[in-house]
Amino acid sequence: ENSLQKTSICSSVKSSDIFVSPYALNLSSFTKLIRRLQTKHPGFSRGEIVGAVQEVRRMNKGVLSGLAISSIEEKASAIL
């Protein structure tokens, strides 16, 4: 019963805070990018970091594909 309650709580997290289109970046690359940015910018929340990555995507005509992870990291860092 407790595990069901924990699952319910976890599933109530707003997915819009962490969602990135599967066409923009594969999940392992996205996770790696977010971890690198969290290490580089520990004062920012995950939501703020994801927001910066989304801004990079917006500035790149709505896509991240074709950009190197290091390039996305650099641009997101400039936004942060």
Side-chain angles (χ1 to χ4, degrees):
E1 187 174 323
N2 285 340
S3 64
L4 289 176
Q5 289 173 343
K6 289 178 186 175
T7 303
S8 297
I9 291 169
C10 292
S11 66
S12 68
V13 173
K14 290 184 350 186
S15 62
S16 62
D17 290 340
I18 57 173
F19 178 76
V20 171
S21 169
Y23 300 105
L25 207 58
N26 73 42
L27 187 57
S28 62
S29 294
F30 176 75
T31 302
K32 181 179 176 182
L33 172 64
I34 296 302
R35 285 185 184 152
R36 286 170 60 168
L37 286 166
Q38 286 176 320
T39 300
K40 191 172 185 178
H41 304 283
F44 290 93
S45 70
R46 178 180 172 87
E48 291 170 315
I49 291 170
V50 170
V53 172
Q54 289 177 334
E55 179 64 16
V56 171
R57 181 178 64 188
R58 188 191 65 74
M59 293 179 346
N60 196 50
K61 300 177 184 178
V63 295
L64 292 174
S65 59
L67 290 176
I69 291 177
S70 59
S71 176
I72 299 168
E73 180 181 1
E74 183 179 304
K75 291 176 183 191
S77 291
I79 292 167
L80 292 170

